[in-house]
C-alpha cells in the first residue's frame, strides 16, 4: 500500500469527523445551487443546518435515476458551465443517457481515487497498464486512464474491441496490469486459445475488473486461465465512475469504499429503511467532495452489504460485498428471486460449459418463460458427441439441471448450444434478453 496511506488507514472516528465536515459542505452547496436539492429538502421540511451528524442524513429524501432523466441534461449541476471540464454519461439503453459533469477538482480527486485503487490491486508506478475499457461517454476508459497516469504507470489506451489487436499489444508491450469488463477479458482468453496461444504465458500479473456483475466462479476462471490476480472494481457514473470501491490484493474479500469521498448506506429497497451493517440491500451513496455533480442519497439499484471490520491489509475503510445484482435485473421465477450471477455460478462450475450465457425471457400466454442459454466448450465438442443419444451427454444435461435447481431453489429450462452461439460483447455483457411484449 503506497499511495495516500493516511486517508486509507485513518482511524474511523477521525474519518467520521472528516465525512461530517464534507457532508455539511456538500449539502449546503447543493441546497443553495441546485433547485432539485432545495425542493427535496423543502419536501421533507428540513434545512441544511438540520444535518448535524452523519445519522441526520437519514432525514434527507433519496435521489433516483429518474431524477437525472427529469433534469436532463445539466439541471443537477451545482457549478457554472464555465467551471465544468468534462461530461460523462451512462449508455442510456432505456431512452436518453444520464449525464454527469466534473470540475477540474473533481477530475483531480477521481484520478487520485483511481490511482489508489490500482495500488490496492497490486499496481505500481512504472507498470505498463493495458486499459481495455471503452473510451467515450462511459466512465471506464478515461476514469482508469487518469488514474494510471496519476499513479505514474504507463497507460495503454486500447479501449474495447478489436480482440486480435488487443492480443498483439499484450504480447508486444508486456503489460503487468489489465482492465476491462470481466466478460470481455474472457473473450480475449478464448481468442488467444483459438490462435494457439497459452493465455498463462502473458506478462500480466493483475486485472482490475468491473462495470458488470460477476461471480466468484468467474474470478476463478479469470485467475486460472490468465495466471493473474483478478480484482473487483466498482463504480457508477452518477457517483463518479470506477473507483468508488475496490478490493485489495491482500485479502480479495470485499471492496474498500473510498470513504473520504463517498458515504455508503444500505437500505431495504421496498421500504427505504436503513439496514444495519452486514444486511443485504440496495446501496445508496452520498458524494462528499464532488463540486459539479453532487449526489445526496443516490439509490444505485445495486444489491450488496457493508462490512466495517478492519481488513488484514491495514485499510480501515468500510468494505462492501461483491454486487449480487441490480434490483431491476432480479428475475422472479415462479415466486423465487434469482440474480443472473447465481445462474453464472452454477454454469461456471461445469468445465464442459463456456463462461458465456444469457437468460431469455418470453411471454407464454399469461406466464413468463425463462430459459438459460449457454454453450459447450470447443474442447468438449472435440471429445464427445453433444447428441441426445449419447448417454454421457444426457447425464451431463441432467446434472446441470439438478445443480441449477439446487442452487436457485427452482428449476429453469436450459438451452445448451454449440460453441460461439451466445453473442459476445466488448463492453458490458448482455445477460438478460427480455422478449416479452410490453404494454
Ligand atoms: O460501469 C463504471 C465502472 C467502469 C465501474 C469500469 C467499474 C469499472 P456505469 O456505466 O454508470 O458505470 O454503470 C454502473 O454498473 O450501478 C452496477 O450496476 C454496475 N457495476 C459497476 N461495477 C460493478 C462491479 C460503470 N464491480 C453500474 N460489480 C453499476 C457489479 C458493477 N456491477
Amino acid at each position: 500500500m503506497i499511495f495516500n496511506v493516511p486517508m486509507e488507514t485513518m482511524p474511523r472516528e477521525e474519518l467520521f469527523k472528516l465525512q461530517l465536515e464534507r457532508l455539511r459542505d456538500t449539502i449546503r452547496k447543493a441546497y443553495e445551487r441546485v433547485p432539485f436539492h432545495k425542493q427535496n429538502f423543502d419536501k421533507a421540511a428540513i434545512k441544511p443546518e438540520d444535518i448535524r451528524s452523519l445519522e441526520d442524513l437519514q432525514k434527507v429524501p433519496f435521489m433516483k435515476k429518474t431524477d437525472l432523466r427529469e433534469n436532463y441534461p445539466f439541471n443537477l449541476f451545482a457549478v457554472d458551465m464555465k467551471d465544468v471540464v468534462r461530461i460523462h454519461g451512462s449508455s442510456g439503453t432505456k431512452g436518453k443517457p444520464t449525464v454527469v459533469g466534473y470540475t477540474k477538482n473533481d477530475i483531480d480527486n477521481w484520478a487520485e481515487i483511481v490511482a489508489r485503487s490500482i495500488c490496492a490491486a497490486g499496481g505500481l508506478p512504472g507498470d505498463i497498464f493495458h486499459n481495455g475499457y471503452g473510451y467515450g461517454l462511459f466512465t471506464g476508459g478515461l476514469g482508469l486512464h487518469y488514474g494510471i497516469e496519476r499513479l505514474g504507470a504507463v497507460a495503454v489506451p486500447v479501449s474495447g474491441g478489436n480482440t486480435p489487436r488487443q492480443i498483439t499489444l499484450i504480447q508486444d508491450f508486456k503489460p503487468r496490469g489489465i482492465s476491462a469488463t470481466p466478460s470481455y477479458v474472457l473473450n480475449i482468453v478464448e481468442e488467444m486459445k483459438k490462435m494457439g496461444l497459452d493465455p498463462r504465458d502473458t506478462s500480466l500479473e493483475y486485472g482490475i475488473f468491473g462495470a458488470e456483475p460477476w461471480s466468484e466462479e468467474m474470478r476463478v476462471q479469470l485467475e486460472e486461465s490468465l495466471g493473474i490476480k483478478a480484482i473487483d472494481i466498482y463504480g457508477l457514473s452518477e457517483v463518479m465512475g470506477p473507483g468508488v470501491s475496490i478490493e485489495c490484493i491482500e485479502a480479495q474479500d470485499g471492496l474498500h469504499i473510498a470513504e473520504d469521498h463517498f458515504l455508503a448506506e444500505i437500505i431495504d429497497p421496498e421500504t427505504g429503511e436503513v439496514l444495519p451493517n452486514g444486511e443485504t440491500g440496495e446501496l445508496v451513496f452520498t458524494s462528499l467532495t464532488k463540486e459539479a455533480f453532487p449526489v445526496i442519497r443516490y439509490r444505485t439499484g445495486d444489491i450488496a452489504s457493508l462490512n466495517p471490520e478492519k481488513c488484514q491489509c491495514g485499510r480501515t475503510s468500510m468494505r462492501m460485498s461483491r454486487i449480487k445484482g441490480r434490483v431491476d435485473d432480479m428475475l422472479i421465477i415462479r415466486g423465487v428471486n434469482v440474480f443472473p450471477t447465481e445462474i453464472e455460478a452454477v454454469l461456471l462450475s461445469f468445465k464442459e460449459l463456456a463462461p458465456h450465457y444469457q437468460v431469455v425471457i418470453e411471454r407464454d400466454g399469461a406466464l413468463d418463460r425463462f430459459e438459460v442459454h449457454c454453450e459447450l466448450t470447443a474442447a468438449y465438442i472435440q471429445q464427445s458427441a453433444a447428441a441426445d443419444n449419447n448417454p454421457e451427454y444426457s447425464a451431463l444435461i441432467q446434472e446441470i439441471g439438478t445443480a441449477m435447481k439446487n442452487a436457485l431453489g427452482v428449476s429453469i429450462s436450459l438451452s445448451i448450444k454449440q460453441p460461439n452461439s451466445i453473442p459476445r460483447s466488448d463492453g458490458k455483457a448482455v445477460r438478460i434478453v427480455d422478449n416479452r411484449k410490453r404494454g
Side-chain angles (χ1 to χ4, degrees), residues 83-88 100-115 139 142-150 240-242 261 289-293:
D83 295 321
V84 174
V85 299
R86 174 111 55 92
I87 298 286
H88 275 292
V100 296
Y102 304 78
T103 63
K104 188 173 174 309
N105 282 340
D106 293 337
I107 296 285
D108 272 358
N109 282 334
W110 188 15
E112 179 180 314
I113 293 165
V114 176
T139 51
L142 284 164
L144 259 293
H145 185 100
Y146 275 60
I148 298 165
E149 290 190 349
R150 174 63 67 88
M240 183 185 70
H261 297 277
T289 52
K290 285 211 304 173
E291 295 175 336
F293 193 87

Side-chain angles (χ1 to χ4, degrees), residues 22 34 39 72 94 133 157 169 179 185 189 201 206 219-220 229 262-263 301 315 325 328 347 362 369 380 427:
R22 291 181 170 182
V34 185
Q39 281 156 20
Y72 178 86
K94 297 172 197 145
Y133 279 119
L169 297 185
S179 58
V185 176
V189 167
D201 286 345
Y206 64 94
R219 189 206 304 273
V220 173
K229 283 280 191 187
F262 311 105
L263 193 71
R315 289 181 182 79
D328 38 6
L347 296 176
E362 309 276 355
R369 195 156 48 80
Y380 181 83

Side-chain angles (χ1 to χ4, degrees), residues 4 7 27 36 50 75 95 99 104 135 139 141 154 177 202 208 212-213 220 235 266 276 299 310 371 382 384 406 414:
N4 203 347
M7 282 301 178
I27 284 183
F36 165 84
D50 297 331
N75 286 346
V99 178
K104 188 173 174 309
Y135 281 64
T139 51
V154 183
T202 71
I208 298 184
E212 62 184 7
V220 173
I266 293 280
R299 290 185 67 153
K310 187 173 173 181
E371 195 170 57
Q382 272 163 17
S384 317
N406 289 343
L414 292 170

Side-chain angles (χ1 to χ4, degrees), residues 204-374:
L204 292 170
E205 291 178 33
Y206 64 94
I208 298 184
F209 305 136
E212 62 184 7
W214 55 303
S215 57
E216 273 306 310
E217 288 70 13
M218 190 176 280
R219 189 206 304 273
V220 173
Q221 286 236 352
L222 285 160
E223 293 197 333
E224 286 182 354
S225 59
L226 279 158
I228 60 168
K229 283 280 191 187
I231 303 293
D232 195 358
I233 186 167
Y234 169 82
L236 60 168
S237 41
E238 299 90 311
V239 175
M240 183 185 70
V244 171
S245 65
I246 184 142
E247 285 177 334
C248 59
I249 192 162
E250 292 87 352
Q252 288 180 294
D253 182 19
L255 292 83
H256 292 274
I257 298 170
E259 283 189 288
D260 43 333
H261 297 277
F262 311 105
L263 193 71
E265 296 171 278
I266 293 280
I267 61 161
D268 178 329
E270 302 281 321
T271 62
E273 181 203 347
V274 175
L275 299 177
N277 289 332
E279 288 200 20
T280 299
E282 183 178 349
L283 262 172
V284 170
F285 278 105
T286 299
S287 65
L288 298 175
T289 52
K290 285 211 304 173
E291 295 175 336
F293 193 87
V295 285
I296 302 175
R297 302 198 89 201
Y298 182 72
R299 290 185 67 153
T300 62
D302 294 322
I303 302 292
S305 60
L306 295 176
N307 171 12
E309 277 166 39
K310 187 173 173 181
C311 179
Q312 68 181 69
C313 70
R315 289 181 182 79
T316 48
S317 45
M318 178 84 86
R319 280 174 285 165
M320 54 179 251
S321 66
R322 187 180 267 291
I323 301 286
K324 205 169 166 195
R326 289 190 54 77
V327 176
D328 38 6
D329 278 354
M330 191 179 75
L331 309 167
I332 305 177
I333 306 176
R334 292 191 295 286
V336 179
N337 299 348
V338 175
F339 284 107
T341 45
E342 295 172 289
I343 294 174
E344 175 180 299
V346 178
L347 296 176
L348 266 61
S349 66
F350 286 88
K351 63 178 184 332
E352 296 85 352
L353 297 178
H356 308 284
Y357 69 98
Q358 282 183 329
V359 184
V360 180
I361 315 173
E362 309 276 355
R363 171 114 327 144
D364 198 359
L367 293 175
D368 294 335
R369 195 156 48 80
F370 299 86
E371 195 170 57
V372 175
H373 292 201
C374 54

Side-chain angles (χ1 to χ4, degrees), residues 13 58-59 63 86 124 182 277:
E13 285 309 316
Q58 293 182 20
K59 297 178 185 163
M63 195 178 164
R86 174 111 55 92
L124 294 167
N277 289 332

